[in-house]
Amino acid sequence: MITGGDAGYFELMRDCIGSLRATPEGRSLALGILDCGLTEAQRDWCRSGDATLVVPGWDFDFPGRDRLKDGYKALTARPFLPRYFPGFDLYLWIDGDCWVQQGDAVVLFLAAARTGKLAVAPEIHRSMRHYHHAWKEFATVNGAAYAACFDNETAERLIRYPLINAGVFALAADAPHWQGWAGLLDEALQRSTDMTDQIALNVLVYDKGFPYEPLPSRCNWPVHHATPAWDAERGLFVEPAMPHEPLGILHLTIYTKKLAALDVRELGGDHAGEVRGRSLRWPGRTAI
């Protein structure tokens, strides 16, 4: 498994790594970290968990690169993970603002990648706000990103497809997707740096036809699209819609990573049916 970021992202990354290691499935995985500006103390913490740290370079030359922080390299380096961390058959990337609640999601990503397909979890679920009242907002923001990276025709065509979230994915080392993604990312970066890695990945799948395996949304749950429910009896965050399947990986997308708590509906227990403030960070975290 590989994650990465800079010093400002480290607290979230630590939750990501700690939550993965707290599962039997995650403990068996080698750990790689893209060091995009960590402090020495943070590097020491990573090394204490047997992580391999690599400082990525700028893998593309594009306008405005000199104005970006080093943390952006965690996005541009991803098509080159087999080069940065050689010697593995499969690669699982998890964004630093994700945390693993159930290890079966990790198993699903790896199993799907073994087929030679790109393992991803598209942002599509009956509970998600952009399939209800927020479609206009979703289409406007993401449509603008498609148009900026490619063109209006691409935006009008692909905005109708479920957006593939690039925050968690798995792929075999010898898959052709790496090179295809890199080529599209290079092309798009000449025009825009807004969501460019994710937009290029969607074009790779939907326009270029590279095979992918769409996993359930519970495998990469974007919290800003639908706040999970809390199952008090099972002690788990679950899908907000019946039958309330447990979430495998929670992704603290956009503004949700900065919130101390969200309004969460409770299932079972003493407060069944109530909406109460609850942190959506990994419950097992401790201060460094």
PDB file of all heavy atoms in Angstrom, residues 26-47:
ATOM      1  N   GLY A  26      -4.515  -5.414   6.349  1.00  0.00           N
ATOM      2  CA  GLY A  26      -3.554  -4.340   6.126  1.00  0.00           C
ATOM      3  C   GLY A  26      -2.189  -4.604   6.712  1.00  0.00           C
ATOM      4  O   GLY A  26      -1.176  -4.127   6.189  1.00  0.00           O
ATOM      5  N   ARG A  27      -2.141  -5.372   7.784  1.00  0.00           N
ATOM      6  CA  ARG A  27      -0.848  -5.645   8.435  1.00  0.00           C
ATOM      7  C   ARG A  27       0.082  -6.458   7.555  1.00  0.00           C
ATOM      8  O   ARG A  27       1.304  -6.421   7.735  1.00  0.00           O
ATOM      9  CB  ARG A  27      -1.072  -6.366   9.768  1.00  0.00           C
ATOM     10  CG  ARG A  27      -1.522  -5.442  10.889  1.00  0.00           C
ATOM     11  CD  ARG A  27      -1.421  -6.109  12.238  1.00  0.00           C
ATOM     12  NE  ARG A  27      -2.388  -7.185  12.407  1.00  0.00           N
ATOM     13  CZ  ARG A  27      -3.628  -7.020  12.857  1.00  0.00           C
ATOM     14  NH1 ARG A  27      -4.053  -5.807  13.172  1.00  0.00           N
ATOM     15  NH2 ARG A  27      -4.447  -8.039  12.993  1.00  0.00           N
ATOM     16  N   SER A  28      -0.476  -7.181   6.599  1.00  0.00           N
ATOM     17  CA  SER A  28       0.349  -8.044   5.753  1.00  0.00           C
ATOM     18  C   SER A  28       0.945  -7.304   4.552  1.00  0.00           C
ATOM     19  O   SER A  28       1.748  -7.882   3.822  1.00  0.00           O
ATOM     20  CB  SER A  28      -0.486  -9.225   5.253  1.00  0.00           C
ATOM     21  OG  SER A  28      -1.534  -8.784   4.394  1.00  0.00           O
ATOM     22  N   LEU A  29       0.580  -6.044   4.363  1.00  0.00           N
ATOM     23  CA  LEU A  29       1.016  -5.312   3.177  1.00  0.00           C
ATOM     24  C   LEU A  29       2.290  -4.524   3.439  1.00  0.00           C
ATOM     25  O   LEU A  29       2.459  -3.938   4.513  1.00  0.00           O
ATOM     26  CB  LEU A  29      -0.083  -4.343   2.716  1.00  0.00           C
ATOM     27  CG  LEU A  29      -1.427  -4.938   2.317  1.00  0.00           C
ATOM     28  CD1 LEU A  29      -2.373  -3.824   1.888  1.00  0.00           C
ATOM     29  CD2 LEU A  29      -1.271  -5.961   1.202  1.00  0.00           C
ATOM     30  N   ALA A  30       3.171  -4.492   2.455  1.00  0.00           N
ATOM     31  CA  ALA A  30       4.313  -3.576   2.504  1.00  0.00           C
ATOM     32  C   ALA A  30       3.786  -2.152   2.386  1.00  0.00           C
ATOM     33  O   ALA A  30       2.785  -1.904   1.704  1.00  0.00           O
ATOM     34  CB  ALA A  30       5.287  -3.888   1.381  1.00  0.00           C
ATOM     35  N   LEU A  31       4.472  -1.218   3.039  1.00  0.00           N
ATOM     36  CA  LEU A  31       4.003   0.161   3.089  1.00  0.00           C
ATOM     37  C   LEU A  31       5.011   1.099   2.435  1.00  0.00           C
ATOM     38  O   LEU A  31       6.199   1.092   2.785  1.00  0.00           O
ATOM     39  CB  LEU A  31       3.781   0.586   4.544  1.00  0.00           C
ATOM     40  CG  LEU A  31       3.401   2.049   4.791  1.00  0.00           C
ATOM     41  CD1 LEU A  31       2.075   2.395   4.107  1.00  0.00           C
ATOM     42  CD2 LEU A  31       3.318   2.333   6.293  1.00  0.00           C
ATOM     43  N   GLY A  32       4.547   1.890   1.478  1.00  0.00           N
ATOM     44  CA  GLY A  32       5.367   2.915   0.847  1.00  0.00           C
ATOM     45  C   GLY A  32       4.750   4.282   1.048  1.00  0.00           C
ATOM     46  O   GLY A  32       3.517   4.420   1.092  1.00  0.00           O
ATOM     47  N   ILE A  33       5.590   5.301   1.170  1.00  0.00           N
ATOM     48  CA  ILE A  33       5.109   6.664   1.406  1.00  0.00           C
ATOM     49  C   ILE A  33       5.833   7.624   0.469  1.00  0.00           C
ATOM     50  O   ILE A  33       7.069   7.636   0.419  1.00  0.00           O
ATOM     51  CB  ILE A  33       5.327   7.092   2.869  1.00  0.00           C
ATOM     52  CG1 ILE A  33       4.493   6.202   3.805  1.00  0.00           C
ATOM     53  CG2 ILE A  33       4.959   8.563   3.066  1.00  0.00           C
ATOM     54  CD1 ILE A  33       4.746   6.452   5.270  1.00  0.00           C
ATOM     55  N   LEU A  34       5.055   8.423  -0.263  1.00  0.00           N
ATOM     56  CA  LEU A  34       5.618   9.511  -1.050  1.00  0.00           C
ATOM     57  C   LEU A  34       5.840  10.698  -0.113  1.00  0.00           C
ATOM     58  O   LEU A  34       4.879  11.312   0.364  1.00  0.00           O
ATOM     59  CB  LEU A  34       4.680   9.896  -2.187  1.00  0.00           C
ATOM     60  CG  LEU A  34       4.534   8.895  -3.344  1.00  0.00           C
ATOM     61  CD1 LEU A  34       3.469   9.381  -4.317  1.00  0.00           C
ATOM     62  CD2 LEU A  34       5.858   8.679  -4.061  1.00  0.00           C
ATOM     63  N   ASP A  35       7.083  10.978   0.165  1.00  0.00           N
ATOM     64  CA  ASP A  35       7.458  12.056   1.078  1.00  0.00           C
ATOM     65  C   ASP A  35       7.510  13.362   0.289  1.00  0.00           C
ATOM     66  O   ASP A  35       8.491  13.659  -0.393  1.00  0.00           O
ATOM     67  CB  ASP A  35       8.816  11.735   1.713  1.00  0.00           C
ATOM     68  CG  ASP A  35       9.331  12.831   2.616  1.00  0.00           C
ATOM     69  OD1 ASP A  35       8.665  13.875   2.757  1.00  0.00           O
ATOM     70  OD2 ASP A  35      10.435  12.649   3.185  1.00  0.00           O
ATOM     71  N   CYS A  36       6.459  14.143   0.413  1.00  0.00           N
ATOM     72  CA  CYS A  36       6.349  15.392  -0.346  1.00  0.00           C
ATOM     73  C   CYS A  36       6.581  16.608   0.549  1.00  0.00           C
ATOM     74  O   CYS A  36       6.009  17.679   0.323  1.00  0.00           O
ATOM     75  CB  CYS A  36       4.983  15.486  -1.004  1.00  0.00           C
ATOM     76  SG  CYS A  36       4.626  14.131  -2.144  1.00  0.00           S
ATOM     77  N   GLY A  37       7.418  16.425   1.575  1.00  0.00           N
ATOM     78  CA  GLY A  37       7.732  17.536   2.472  1.00  0.00           C
ATOM     79  C   GLY A  37       7.436  17.237   3.923  1.00  0.00           C
ATOM     80  O   GLY A  37       6.985  18.127   4.660  1.00  0.00           O
ATOM     81  N   LEU A  38       7.693  16.008   4.365  1.00  0.00           N
ATOM     82  CA  LEU A  38       7.508  15.644   5.771  1.00  0.00           C
ATOM     83  C   LEU A  38       8.653  16.197   6.616  1.00  0.00           C
ATOM     84  O   LEU A  38       9.749  16.455   6.121  1.00  0.00           O
ATOM     85  CB  LEU A  38       7.449  14.124   5.921  1.00  0.00           C
ATOM     86  CG  LEU A  38       6.328  13.393   5.169  1.00  0.00           C
ATOM     87  CD1 LEU A  38       6.458  11.889   5.378  1.00  0.00           C
ATOM     88  CD2 LEU A  38       4.945  13.878   5.611  1.00  0.00           C
ATOM     89  N   THR A  39       8.387  16.361   7.912  1.00  0.00           N
ATOM     90  CA  THR A  39       9.457  16.746   8.834  1.00  0.00           C
ATOM     91  C   THR A  39      10.254  15.504   9.202  1.00  0.00           C
ATOM     92  O   THR A  39       9.820  14.366   8.970  1.00  0.00           O
ATOM     93  CB  THR A  39       8.880  17.372  10.108  1.00  0.00           C
ATOM     94  OG1 THR A  39       8.171  16.360  10.852  1.00  0.00           O
ATOM     95  CG2 THR A  39       7.930  18.526   9.781  1.00  0.00           C
ATOM     96  N   GLU A  40      11.418  15.709   9.812  1.00  0.00           N
ATOM     97  CA  GLU A  40      12.240  14.560  10.185  1.00  0.00           C
ATOM     98  C   GLU A  40      11.547  13.705  11.233  1.00  0.00           C
ATOM     99  O   GLU A  40      11.647  12.472  11.212  1.00  0.00           O
ATOM    100  CB  GLU A  40      13.606  15.032  10.688  1.00  0.00           C
ATOM    101  CG  GLU A  40      14.648  13.925  10.698  1.00  0.00           C
ATOM    102  CD  GLU A  40      14.811  13.246   9.335  1.00  0.00           C
ATOM    103  OE1 GLU A  40      14.885  13.967   8.314  1.00  0.00           O
ATOM    104  OE2 GLU A  40      14.851  12.001   9.288  1.00  0.00           O
ATOM    105  N   ALA A  41      10.824  14.346  12.160  1.00  0.00           N
ATOM    106  CA  ALA A  41      10.080  13.578  13.177  1.00  0.00           C
ATOM    107  C   ALA A  41       8.994  12.734  12.528  1.00  0.00           C
ATOM    108  O   ALA A  41       8.748  11.587  12.936  1.00  0.00           O
ATOM    109  CB  ALA A  41       9.480  14.526  14.214  1.00  0.00           C
ATOM    110  N   GLN A  42       8.342  13.285  11.533  1.00  0.00           N
ATOM    111  CA  GLN A  42       7.310  12.530  10.821  1.00  0.00           C
ATOM    112  C   GLN A  42       7.912  11.376  10.033  1.00  0.00           C
ATOM    113  O   GLN A  42       7.344  10.272   9.999  1.00  0.00           O
ATOM    114  CB  GLN A  42       6.538  13.478   9.899  1.00  0.00           C
ATOM    115  CG  GLN A  42       5.699  14.501  10.650  1.00  0.00           C
ATOM    116  CD  GLN A  42       5.186  15.619   9.766  1.00  0.00           C
ATOM    117  OE1 GLN A  42       5.624  15.791   8.614  1.00  0.00           O
ATOM    118  NE2 GLN A  42       4.260  16.420  10.274  1.00  0.00           N
ATOM    119  N   ARG A  43       9.062  11.601   9.438  1.00  0.00           N
ATOM    120  CA  ARG A  43       9.748  10.505   8.733  1.00  0.00           C
ATOM    121  C   ARG A  43      10.133   9.396   9.708  1.00  0.00           C
ATOM    122  O   ARG A  43      10.019   8.206   9.383  1.00  0.00           O
ATOM    123  CB  ARG A  43      10.981  11.038   8.019  1.00  0.00           C
ATOM    124  CG  ARG A  43      10.685  12.008   6.890  1.00  0.00           C
ATOM    125  CD  ARG A  43      11.948  12.392   6.140  1.00  0.00           C
ATOM    126  NE  ARG A  43      11.682  13.447   5.186  1.00  0.00           N
ATOM    127  CZ  ARG A  43      12.030  14.724   5.339  1.00  0.00           C
ATOM    128  NH1 ARG A  43      12.712  15.096   6.426  1.00  0.00           N
ATOM    129  NH2 ARG A  43      11.722  15.616   4.424  1.00  0.00           N
ATOM    130  N   ASP A  44      10.602   9.771  10.884  1.00  0.00           N
ATOM    131  CA  ASP A  44      10.972   8.773  11.889  1.00  0.00           C
ATOM    132  C   ASP A  44       9.770   7.930  12.272  1.00  0.00           C
ATOM    133  O   ASP A  44       9.886   6.710  12.452  1.00  0.00           O
ATOM    134  CB  ASP A  44      11.553   9.452  13.127  1.00  0.00           C
ATOM    135  CG  ASP A  44      12.947  10.022  12.884  1.00  0.00           C
ATOM    136  OD1 ASP A  44      13.591   9.604  11.896  1.00  0.00           O
ATOM    137  OD2 ASP A  44      13.382  10.876  13.680  1.00  0.00           O
ATOM    138  N   TRP A  45       8.612   8.577  12.428  1.00  0.00           N
ATOM    139  CA  TRP A  45       7.391   7.824  12.764  1.00  0.00           C
ATOM    140  C   TRP A  45       7.082   6.813  11.664  1.00  0.00           C
ATOM    141  O   TRP A  45       6.728   5.662  11.937  1.00  0.00           O
ATOM    142  CB  TRP A  45       6.217   8.775  12.958  1.00  0.00           C
ATOM    143  CG  TRP A  45       4.963   8.082  13.402  1.00  0.00           C
ATOM    144  CD1 TRP A  45       4.553   7.852  14.687  1.00  0.00           C
ATOM    145  CD2 TRP A  45       3.956   7.493  12.549  1.00  0.00           C
ATOM    146  NE1 TRP A  45       3.358   7.163  14.681  1.00  0.00           N
ATOM    147  CE2 TRP A  45       2.972   6.929  13.396  1.00  0.00           C
ATOM    148  CE3 TRP A  45       3.797   7.388  11.170  1.00  0.00           C
ATOM    149  CZ2 TRP A  45       1.848   6.279  12.897  1.00  0.00           C
ATOM    150  CZ3 TRP A  45       2.681   6.731  10.669  1.00  0.00           C
ATOM    151  CH2 TRP A  45       1.719   6.188  11.523  1.00  0.00           C
ATOM    152  N   CYS A  46       7.195   7.234  10.424  1.00  0.00           N
ATOM    153  CA  CYS A  46       6.919   6.337   9.291  1.00  0.00           C
ATOM    154  C   CYS A  46       7.895   5.161   9.274  1.00  0.00           C
ATOM    155  O   CYS A  46       7.499   4.001   9.089  1.00  0.00           O
ATOM    156  CB  CYS A  46       6.996   7.106   7.980  1.00  0.00           C
ATOM    157  SG  CYS A  46       5.740   8.377   7.766  1.00  0.00           S
ATOM    158  N   ARG A  47       9.163   5.463   9.466  1.00  0.00           N
ATOM    159  CA  ARG A  47      10.173   4.398   9.455  1.00  0.00           C
ATOM    160  C   ARG A  47       9.976   3.422  10.603  1.00  0.00           C
ATOM    161  O   ARG A  47      10.295   2.230  10.471  1.00  0.00           O
ATOM    162  CB  ARG A  47      11.569   5.011   9.505  1.00  0.00           C
ATOM    163  CG  ARG A  47      11.948   5.830   8.277  1.00  0.00           C
ATOM    164  CD  ARG A  47      13.406   6.243   8.333  1.00  0.00           C
ATOM    165  NE  ARG A  47      13.761   7.181   7.259  1.00  0.00           N
ATOM    166  CZ  ARG A  47      13.929   8.485   7.434  1.00  0.00           C
ATOM    167  NH1 ARG A  47      13.810   9.019   8.661  1.00  0.00           N
ATOM    168  NH2 ARG A  47      14.243   9.254   6.421  1.00  0.00           N
TER     169      ARG A  47
END
